[in-house]
Structure formats: structure tokens, C-alpha cells
């Protein structure tokens, strides 16, 4: 069996240890000969890498391992890049979230002005990695889940149309895990689902078990009452902010009882509620800094110090195994069915054929073959046209260094009340993003 060489870009990410443990758990179906970490922050990556080295020595000493900030070393002789970079790190996420809130506009990592701001930083970072990959390993594939995935996907479609990059998101998977639990199934893979939309902006239209029985009625009954929260306990412990998001899905659902919604729609459909329930001084970025980041880096330091994983609380990121599903689909031409962010190209009949949409695809060695969705209703079409225009304008603004287009993008976002508020937010964002955005004219 062929063994693969993989580079994780954003090696210093809080998700890297969990993903490496997951890869080690999946070696029987995705054998690895070489694993490299790449990041542009040497010190941050060194902590994660130091711990991963110990993990690999214990669990898979045959895998060649290195961590580097050198692009030639990182991208030579590889089959896959798994990319999860965060340009500007949590310090900039915090500003993305807090600046809009000063104007009573929601502050979110990927939605509204915060997501637009993050997009303007991410486009260059992701394209740079894609270019290095193509330079040093022209036949490799990049599996990207760096956010904001919608804007990054539109940027690579427009600026690197022939590149082997696949953009993917774990939110539909996370929600399907909850659906399976609500239904009492062992795994989300016991469901066959149909879904369409944009990234962080979509709806399920059909959910069946493997015998073809319709599971939507039971799910709808639950979601109408509890959102995606389990009524009797359940194993889905989560932080308060995520609990609220999963619970709020019941109100999002009420707007279209024919479908089941992605939780991210709450930011567009209930923006006033979101602002009211935000703490302007302590946003999700602060929660993550005090929670996940502290925990992961604390555990990594422990492992390095004792040169052993004994008593280490870092866990396998099981739900990230969708990344292996995607890599094996390409490597072994498995024709797996999965949701990817791809060019519409007629799949949604009554929607912009150049839009990047999140829909089911069959994935094989040549990449994804999108499945036909057909016509979508006016409500979704209207929302999606507005949102996709925001995403396209951001990419145009980045490519043309256009202040005007970025102002239009923020103004068009459903989360923003007026062009004057949009301008205030934009001008504040420009000030703090000097190091990361192109200089706008
Ligand atoms: P993090 O800040 O802990 O890690 C990101 C790493 O990227 C940092 O170590 C940083 O130094 C590095 N980095 C920044 N710019 C870089 C560049 N230009 N080149 C190389 N490395 C660079 O962030 P995190 O919370 O672990 O999240 C990582 C990313 O994964 C984010 O983009 C997040 O939104 C994304 N994510 C996506 C999904 C999805 O569904 N698509 C799910 C989870 C996380
Ligand atoms: C989900 C989304 C990701 C997003 C993440 C945010 O997994 O699909 O796109 O990055 O949530 O999580 P965080 O814990 O960083 O707020
Ligand atoms: Mn996502």
C-alpha cells in the first residue's frame, strides 16, 4: 500500500495535536510515511511540534517528522497539504469581533464585517501556501479548512482556477453528528443527506436512513422544540456560546419548516438578538484564548517537559476524520459522497453559475463531481444572492485593492444596517489591519 507524505500548514494551530492523533488512529486506511508541520510563527509551532514529536515517537516511530518555517523544506515531496492557518492569529480575531460590536453590529469570526476582515487577511496567506505547494510538489492536493472558507474558496476559484485545492467545512458534519444522536443512530454515516447553500449558510432538504426511510419528520419535531440540543442529556457537552447557537437553531428553523438549517444562519437572521447577547469586552476570541489555546499549549508543554504523553489530556479529534475521508477519496478514487465548497456550475439551477456553493459531491482521483440540486426557493435564493455578492466583492476588493468595493461588501452584508455604519467599521478595520491587508485605494 502506498504511504503518503503530508504537510500540515498552520502547524502551530490549536487543532494540530488533535488532528495528528486522528491521523495516527486512521493509519490503516491512510498510511503516512512523512509528516511535516509548517507555520510562519516559529516559536508557536515549536511548542506544538515538540509535543507531536513525542507522540509520534511513542505511537508511530516509523513516520518521518519535522517542523519547519522553510517553505522549500515544507512543500517538497508531499502528496497532501492540510491547511488550517489563521492569519493574524487570535489577536486579530479579537479585533474582528470587537470593532463591529462598537457599532452594535455582530462580531463573528466568519460572518459579517469580522468575517470580511478575516477574509482580507486569509486570501493572501492561503494563496501563498498553494503557490509553494505547486512549486515544490506540483501533483499534490491542498485540503483547506482555513477560514473564512467561503471567501477563501471564491478567491482561489477566481485567482487560481486550475489549482488542486478543495475547500471544506466541519459545521455540517458537526450538526449531522447531533442529528444522528437525536435519532438514536450510532453514526452520522447511517444517514444519507441532501444539503445546499454557501459555506456557513445552508439548509438540509432531505435526510434518510440507509433503507431510504425519511428521517426529516422526527428531526423537525425535535429541532422545532430544542434546536440541535439533546433534550435528555446526551454526550454533546459544549461551551455556553455554542450551546446558545445550537439552541437558537429552533428559531432559524421556524423561518422555513421545509428544511433544517445550518446554525450559522442565526447571525444573518437574528443579528439583533446576537448583538444583544454579546459581551462587547469578552467575545468568542477571548473564550478560545482562555479555553482551547491555554489547554492545548499547556498540555503540549507538559508532554515536552516529561518527554512522554503519560497523563496527557490531548484527545483524538475524531470528527476531523472527514479530512481523512477526503484524502482517501482522492488517493484511492473511492467516489465518496461529501459536502464540499465548489463552483456552482449549474448544480443549483436558478443561481449564479460562478458562485462557490456548499453541496454534496462525489469525490475521486480527479477531484469533486458536484451533484445536481435543482431549483431552490425564493427565500434561500434571495439570501444567498446577497451573501454571495458580499463574498465576491471582498475578493474583488482584495485583488483590485479597492476601498469602494470593500465598503460595498460590508454595506451589502445583511448584518450591517447602513452604508454609514459600514464605513465607520471599515475605517476602523483598515487601521488595525495595516500589516495584513493590501493598501486600499
Ligand atoms: P490558531 O491561531 O491556533 O492556529 C493558526 C496557525 O496558523 C498559527 O499557528 C499561526 O501562526 C499560523 N499562521 C498564520 N498565518 C500563517 C501563514 N501565512 N502561513 C503559515 N502559517 C500561518 O487557530 P485555530 O483556532 O487553531 O484555527 C486554525 C484555522 O482553522 C482557522 O482558520 C479556523 O477558522 C479554521 N477552522 C476551520 C474549520 C472549518 O470548518 N473549515 C474548523 C475549525 C477550524
Ligand atoms: C466550526 C466551524 C468553523 C469555525 C469553528 C469556530 O467548527 O465550522 O469554521 O472555525 O466552528 O470554532 P471556535 O471554537 O474557534 O469558535
Ligand atoms: Mn466552517
Amino acid at each position: 500500500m502506498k504511504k503518503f507524505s503530508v504537510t500540515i500548514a498552520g502547524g502551530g494551530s490549536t487543532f494540530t495535536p488533535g488532528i495528528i492523533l486522528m491521523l495516527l488512529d486512521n493509519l490503516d486506511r491512510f498510511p503516512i510515511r512523512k509528516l511535516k508541520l509548517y507555520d510562519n510563527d516559529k516559536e508557536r509551532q515549536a511548542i506544538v511540534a515538540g509535543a507531536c514529536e513525542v507522540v509520534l515517537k511513542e505511537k508511530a516511530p516509523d513516520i518521518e517528522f519535522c517542523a519547519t518555517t522553510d517553505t522549500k523544506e515544507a512543500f517538497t515531496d508531499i502528496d497532501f497539504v492540510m491547511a488550517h492557518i489563521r492569519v493574524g492569529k487570535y489577536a486579530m480575531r479579537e479585533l474582528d469581533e470587537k470593532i463591529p460590536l462598537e457599532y452594535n453590529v455582530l462580531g463573528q469570526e466568519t460572518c459579517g464585517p469580522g468575517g470580511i476582515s478575516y477574509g482580507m487577511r486569509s486570501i493572501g496567506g492561503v494563496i501563498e501556501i498553494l503557490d509553494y505547494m505547486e512549486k515544490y510538489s506540483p501533483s499534490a492536493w491542498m485540503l483547506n479548512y482555513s477560514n473564512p472558507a467561503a471567501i477563501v474558496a471564491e478567491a482561489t476559484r477566481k485567482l487560481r482556477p486550475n489549482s488542486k485545492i478543495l475547500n471544506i467545512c466541519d459545521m455540517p458534519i458537526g450538526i449531522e453528528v447531533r442529528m444522528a444522536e437525536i435519532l438514536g443512530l450510532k453514526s452520522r454515516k447511517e444517514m444519507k443527506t441532501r444539503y445546499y447553500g454557501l459555506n456557513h449558510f445552508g439548509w438540509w432538504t432531505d435526510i434518510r436512513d440507509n433503507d431510504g426511510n425519511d428521517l426529516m419528520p422526527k428531526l423537525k419535531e425535535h429541532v422545532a422544540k430544542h434546536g440541535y440540543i439533546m433534550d435528555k442529556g446526551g454526550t454533546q457537552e459544549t461551551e455556553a456560546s455554542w450551546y446558545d447557537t445550537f439552541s437558537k437553531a429552533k428559531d432559524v428553523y421556524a423561518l422555513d419548516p421545509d428544511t433544517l438549517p445550518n446554525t450559522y444562519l442565526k447571525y444573518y437572521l437574528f443579528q439583533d438578538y446576537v448583538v444583544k447577547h454579546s459581551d462587547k469586552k469578552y467575545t468568542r476570541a477571548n473564550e478560545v484564548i482562555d479555553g482551547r489555546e491555554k489547554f492545548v499549549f499547556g498540555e503540549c508543554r507538559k508532554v515536552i517537559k516529561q518527554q512522554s504523553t503519560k497523563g496527557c489530556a490531548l484527545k483524538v479529534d475524531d470528527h476531523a476524520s472527514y479530512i481523512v475521508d477526503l484524502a482517501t477519496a482522492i488517493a484511492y478514487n473511492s467516489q465518496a459522497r461529501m459536502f464540499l465548497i465548489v463552483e456552482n456550475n449549474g448544480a443549483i439551477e436558478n443561481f449564479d453559475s460562478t458562485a462557490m456553493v456548499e453541496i454534496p459531491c462525489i469525490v475521486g482521483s480527479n477531484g469533486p463531481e458536484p451533484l445536481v440540486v435543482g431549483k431552490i426557493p425564493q427565500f434561500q435564493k434571495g439570501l444567498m444572492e446577497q451573501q454571495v455578492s458580499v463574498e465576491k466583492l471582498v475578493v474583488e476588493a482584495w485583488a483590485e485593492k479597492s476601498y469602494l468595493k470593500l465598503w460595498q461588501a460590508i454595506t451589502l452584508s445583511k448584518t450591517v444596517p447602513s452604508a454609514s455604519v459600514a464605513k465607520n467599521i471599515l475605517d476602523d478595520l483598515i487601521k488595525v489591519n495595516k500589516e495584513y491587508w493590501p493598501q486600499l485605494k
Side-chain angles (χ1 to χ4, degrees), residues 362-373:
I362 302 295
V363 189
S365 300
N366 295 330
E369 288 177 57
L371 297 174
V372 170
V373 173

Side-chain angles (χ1 to χ4, degrees), residues 54-288:
V54 176
V55 169
L56 283 161
K57 247 187 228 150
E58 286 180 8
K59 293 187 186 252
D62 293 346
I63 297 178
E64 200 183 310
F65 177 74
C66 80
T68 181
T69 54
D70 179 80
T71 51
K72 186 172 180 199
E73 188 183 4
F75 297 102
T76 300
D77 179 32
I78 52 167
D79 303 299
F80 291 98
V81 175
M82 300 178 176
H84 53 210
I85 63 166
R86 182 187 292 286
V87 179
K89 293 177 276 193
Y90 294 130
M92 291 308 297
R93 176 176 182 175
E94 189 177 350
L95 292 168
D96 288 346
E97 292 170 352
K98 288 184 177 171
I99 288 172
L101 275 172
E102 283 173 30
Y103 300 93
N104 290 315
V105 170
L106 63 87
Q108 215 281 326
E109 180 195 24
T110 64
C111 305
I116 292 171
S117 173
Y118 187 14
M120 289 290 287
R121 293 195 301 277
S122 274
I123 294 171
V126 171
I127 285 185
E128 183 186 84
I129 289 172
L130 191 53
D131 289 348
Y132 286 130
M133 178 186 90
E134 291 182 344
K135 179 171 173 195
Y136 295 116
S137 292
S139 56
W141 282 87
M142 178 162 169
L143 313 182
N144 179 60
Y145 36 100
S146 311
N147 268 319
I151 290 170
V152 167
E154 167 61 13
T156 52
R157 179 197 73 82
K158 190 179 154 87
L159 305 169
R160 296 292 182 277
N162 301 314
S163 291
K164 295 208 285 194
I165 177 170
L166 296 174
N167 294 287
I168 189 162
C169 169
D170 67 356
M171 199 67 239
I173 293 158
I175 295 171
E176 285 190 4
V177 168
R178 283 171 176 264
M179 289 172 169
E181 193 163 329
I182 290 164
L183 293 165
L185 303 175
K186 279 197 210 76
S187 149
R188 70 177 173 91
K189 294 192 176 170
E190 289 175 24
M191 307 186 303
K192 290 281 171 293
T193 61
R194 293 180 64 89
Y195 177 94
Y196 74 85
L198 310 171
N199 178 237
H200 289 183
F201 206 99
W203 295 264
W204 279 266
T205 54
D206 196 67
I207 302 176
R208 283 167 199 274
D209 64 18
N210 290 335
D211 299 323
N213 297 306
D214 187 0
L215 302 173
M216 286 287 268
K218 191 172 170 197
L219 278 170
K220 286 177 176 178
E221 201 184 312
H222 181 97
V223 175
K225 282 197 210 120
H226 312 288
Y228 295 115
I229 301 285
M230 292 293 294
D231 42 2
K232 296 183 232 79
T235 55
Q236 296 155 346
E237 273 174 56
T238 182
E239 294 142 300
S241 53
W242 274 106
Y243 186 95
D244 181 73
T245 292
F246 287 120
S247 163
K248 192 68 185 168
K250 73 168 183 289
D251 296 333
V252 179
Y253 166 72
L255 267 149
D256 178 22
D258 288 338
T259 60
L260 287 165
N262 190 305
T263 46
Y264 274 93
L265 288 160
K266 89 164 183 182
Y267 295 107
Y268 300 93
L269 299 172
F270 295 96
Q271 57 272 62
D272 51 350
Y273 165 92
V274 173
V275 172
K276 217 163 126 197
H277 289 80
S278 298
D279 181 343
K280 293 182 183 179
K281 296 214 169 74
Y282 194 86
T283 58
R284 177 67 190 155
N286 300 109
E287 269 182 20
V288 173

Side-chain angles (χ1 to χ4, degrees), residues 363-390:
V363 189
S365 300
N366 295 330
E369 288 177 57
L371 297 174
V372 170
V373 173
K375 280 206 175 75
I376 59 172
Q378 198 66 46
F379 176 62
Q380 277 84 359
K381 184 170 176 282
L383 287 168
M384 283 168 60
E385 275 169 353
Q386 180 178 27
Q387 178 59 20
V388 88
S389 302
V390 172

